[in-house]
Amino acid sequence: MRPATRGVDGDHHTHTKRCGHAVGETREYIEAALAAGLRSVAVTDHVPMFWLPEPERDPRLAMRLEELPGYVEEVLALKGEYRGRIEVRLGIEADFVPGHEDELRRLLALFPFELVLGSVHWLGDWLVDGPASLARFERGQAEVDAIWYAYAGAVIAAAGCGLFDVLTHLDLPKKFGHRPSVPYAGRQAEVVQAVAGSGCAVELSSGGMRKPVGEPYPGPALLRDLHAAGVPFVLSSDAHAPDEVGYRFSELRAQLAGLGDGQ
Ligand code: ZN
Ligand code: FE
Ligand code: FE
Ligand code: ZN
């Protein structure tokens, strides 16, 4: 496990136009981070969809496998170019897909990644946070609870797999505003315990503040529980446009300060 955190003065989660649903060049994200006064920025584009057969990999969701070496090369070149002004980190946002851990391990080992984000976006072949996913959330509370329950299981497994430095958007199913009827569908303590035992940091992400739910991932109650269990946090914007780098970080910092220790 690599050292995961740079505290609260860096952005640990950004994308580029390479992923097919973000805009802007890598250099523009770095310039935005400099302008925002950050000390570090991790470029963490979506990993190629390694778990699917080639024809099923959607270029609007992630870069193609052939693009990965060029991505790494570009970020490392910019890292060198900006040395002394801002720390640029070569990262990747890697999907956790149960049963495909070995493929991901092999893929990650090919490149000198400094920050591997572990993300659950998929429950089986269903994308949790896609625009087309809203219909399933609207089937009613029983279905919403089932989604949250399954998401908890995936996060617990992701925490335990040993591939990730930082776990992302831990309560992603709230994106469109759908809440479980009890905290995390009855598995919140289990989630917190698994994350605390994993050695992973968790991102406090302002990404959710730009979504219908209108609050960071994780929300305040989950954040408190994670903090109480000793989980370290890093800040992230999940920027999909350069002007989203460092988005509302002063509010995130205030929230962490309010937890009451050295974070
Ligand atoms: Zn994305
Ligand atoms: Fe994500
Ligand atoms: Fe992301
Ligand atoms: Zn994301």
Side-chain angles (χ1 to χ4, degrees):
M1 187 75 46
R2 304 162 202 79
T5 69
R6 287 291 187 283
V8 296
D9 48 11
D11 193 332
H12 296 75
H13 188 162
T14 65
H15 295 276
T16 74
K17 69 170 191 187
R18 234 183 224 93
C19 69
H21 59 274
V23 295
E25 304 285 343
T26 312
R27 180 184 297 278
E28 297 177 76
Y29 285 81
I30 297 167
E31 288 291 335
L34 266 172
L38 298 175
R39 287 178 51 193
S40 69
V41 59
V43 186
T44 58
D45 233 332
H46 294 281
V47 76
M49 301 175 79
F50 60 90
W51 65 97
L52 292 177
E54 198 78 49
E56 290 169 37
R57 300 179 184 179
D58 187 340
R60 295 164 303 179
L61 294 179
M63 71 178 99
R64 289 174 301 120
L65 189 57
E66 310 88 81
E67 294 176 87
L68 189 53
Y71 165 70
V72 169
E73 203 178 317
E74 183 192 23
V75 176
L76 291 178
L78 289 165
K79 182 185 182 71
E81 183 183 329
Y82 280 87
R83 187 166 287 130
R85 286 189 282 164
I86 188 168
E87 185 191 359
V88 176
R89 305 175 77 196
L90 173 64
I92 190 110
E93 181 175 8
D95 289 80
F96 175 74
V97 183
H100 294 268
E101 295 89 341
D102 286 343
E103 289 147 82
L104 179 56
R105 184 175 290 107
R106 283 196 294 273
L107 188 59
L108 294 176
L110 296 174
F111 303 99
F113 292 114
E114 299 169 277
L115 184 71
V116 179
L117 307 181
S119 294
V120 177
H121 300 114
W122 296 88
L123 297 174
D125 59 3
W126 184 69
L127 180 59
V128 176
D129 58 335
S133 309
L134 186 56
R136 185 171 167 194
F137 282 102
E138 288 178 340
R139 280 183 211 158
Q141 190 60 46
E143 187 70 7
V144 169
D145 284 334
I147 293 167
W148 278 98
Y149 190 90
Y151 199 82
V155 167
I156 290 162
C161 80
L163 291 171
F164 306 125
D165 302 308
V166 174
L167 299 170
T168 66
H169 42 63
L170 278 200
D171 49 1
L172 183 64
K174 74 182 178 185
K175 176 177 179 179
F176 302 107
H178 302 80
R179 307 284 186 168
S181 41
V182 293
Y184 228 106
R187 304 181 82 175
Q188 186 140 312
E190 206 187 329
V191 169
V192 169
Q193 196 185 359
V195 172
S198 71
C200 297
V202 164
E203 67 169 7
L204 178 59
S205 167
S206 56
M209 298 164 97
R210 301 189 302 269
K211 301 297 174 344
V213 68
E215 66 172 37
Y217 305 112
L222 179 55
L223 187 75
R224 270 196 306 279
D225 287 358
L226 290 163
H227 176 71
V231 174
F233 300 108
V234 299
L235 294 193
S236 96
S237 65
D238 205 350
H240 281 70
D243 66 1
E244 292 170 352
V245 174
Y247 183 74
R248 294 173 73 173
F249 271 20
S250 55
E251 290 163 72
L252 300 185
R253 290 189 191 105
Q255 221 191 329
L256 290 181
L259 292 171
D261 69 15
Q263 275 286 339

